[in-house]
Amino acid sequence: MALIVQKFGGTSVADLDRIRNVAKRVARTFDQGNDVVVILSAMAGVTDNLIRMANQVTESPDKRELDVLLATGEQTTAALLAMTLRAMNYAAESILGHQAKVVTDCAFGNARILDIGADPIRALVQNRKIVVMAGFQGCDINGNITTLGRGGSDTSAVAIAAAIKADICEIYTDVDGIYTTDPNICPRARKMARVSYDEMLEMASLGAKVLQIRSVEFAKKYNVPVHVRSSFSDEEGTM
Ligand code: ADP
Ligand code: ASP
Ligand code: MG
């Protein structure tokens, strides 16, 4: 039995069928006797759409209000997945960034995580709840909602995994692992079984968006084992 963090990116929760698919995978992991903390992105395209709407309201949207708006994308998927799991008779509970005590600095739109109070999530896990957390969001010391920059749910996942001392952080995405280069651009890219934190940092800094660079920094600093894999197959991904 292990404590497993599973993060699902936007394409993995792009519609209700895919959310059902995610629910089945989470339930299977839970039924195997593991404790599961799920971190979700917004549905594919939703964050872009919210930004577009804000820009239609005004040329320069207020940064605090923009974060209130963007955080709704992840709030939506967290609620929908928790509902789906509950309808399947699993004791799931959603939790938002501020409820999970994800404390960030005040840099709206690109906030850095300063601290995570592990207790709220731990308490849920100890009661054998499946925790479904909204990624990408936190709150500053004044209680304002903040977001962690594009692709920030990866960082939510790794930071939570470090805070609750999870055995592994699984990043489910639309590719089946880390390749030598972007497999959607270069068909000759090769999948790698393992990548060091430093190699991954370099790839992320060169723009490989498969992992947000800050998530790799967290993983390295706290020695979090990260497994990047496909949400559409059971194939082993990349450690
Ligand atoms: P998610 O929505 O699950 O967070 P992203 O779109 O942020 O997914 O990241 C996955 C994408 O990263 C892949 O579809 C792929 O095009 C891209 N990518 C870039 N570089 C790499 C790489 N070296 N290995 C795998 N995927 C890569
Ligand atoms: N929804 C946010 C984004 O599109 C965060 C994430 O998906 O990781 O950037
Ligand atoms: Mg991403």
Side-chain angles (χ1 to χ4, degrees):
M1 187 188 126
L3 174 55
I4 301 179
V5 170
Q6 298 189 322
K7 178 258 173 178
F8 295 88
T11 43
S12 310
V13 291
D15 56 40
L16 298 180
D17 272 340
R18 289 192 181 177
I19 289 179
R20 272 182 217 113
N21 213 39
V22 166
K24 282 186 205 147
R25 186 184 291 272
V26 169
R28 198 192 333 141
T29 310
F30 184 81
D31 286 341
Q32 287 161 352
N34 303 297
D35 289 320
V36 191
V37 176
V38 184
I39 315 284
L40 293 180
S41 289
M43 291 170 154
V46 163
T47 307
D48 287 339
N49 261 332
L50 292 170
I51 293 172
R52 209 170 297 132
M53 276 200 283
N55 287 326
Q56 282 167 8
V57 170
T58 161
E59 259 174 28
S60 53
D62 179 82
K63 290 190 163 153
R64 178 183 184 279
E65 302 312 328
L66 187 57
D67 274 2
V68 173
L69 181 67
L70 296 191
T72 62
E74 275 71 11
Q75 178 163 346
T76 304
T77 47
L80 287 172
L81 180 65
M83 271 176 209
T84 306
L85 282 163
R86 292 182 80 96
M88 292 161 61
N89 282 322
Y90 287 88
E93 203 167 305
S94 66
I95 187 165
L96 302 179
H98 70 275
Q99 295 171 318
K101 309 268 185 273
V102 179
V103 181
T104 71
D105 63 17
C106 306
F108 294 119
N110 197 25
R112 267 180 195 277
I113 295 175
L114 301 176
D115 185 50
I116 294 181
D119 289 350
I121 289 182
R122 271 216 202 101
L124 290 168
V125 166
Q126 268 157 18
N127 287 322
R128 273 298 271 170
K129 292 268 167 68
I130 297 176
V131 183
V132 183
M133 181 175 147
F136 182 52
Q137 52 176 265
C139 73
D140 68 14
I141 48 164
N142 302 312
N144 296 306
I145 293 174
T146 54
T147 64
L148 309 179
R150 300 309 305 268
S153 299
D154 297 327
T155 303
S156 306
V158 177
I160 290 287
I164 63 173
K165 301 192 169 60
D167 296 292
I168 189 148
C169 179
E170 298 182 329
I171 305 280
Y172 288 90
T173 184
D174 59 359
V175 282
D176 59 4
I178 306 287
Y179 282 70
T180 45
T181 53
D182 188 339
N184 289 322
I185 294 174
C186 176
R188 281 165 54 206
R190 278 181 302 106
K191 182 173 150 185
M192 296 179 282
R194 303 183 75 86
V195 180
S196 72
Y197 294 126
D198 284 326
E199 283 171 309
M200 194 60 233
L201 272 179
E202 193 178 324
M203 293 175 84
S205 69
L206 293 172
K209 67 167 181 168
V210 61
L211 287 177
Q212 197 198 40
I213 189 161
R214 285 177 182 171
S215 71
V216 188
E217 289 167 357
F218 258 102
K220 182 181 176 185
K221 185 168 174 190
Y222 296 101
N223 222 356
V224 181
V226 179
H227 185 182
V228 178
R229 57 191 305 184
S230 168
S231 59
F232 307 111
S233 82
D234 288 327
E235 210 182 307
E236 287 283 303
T238 301
M239 287 301 299

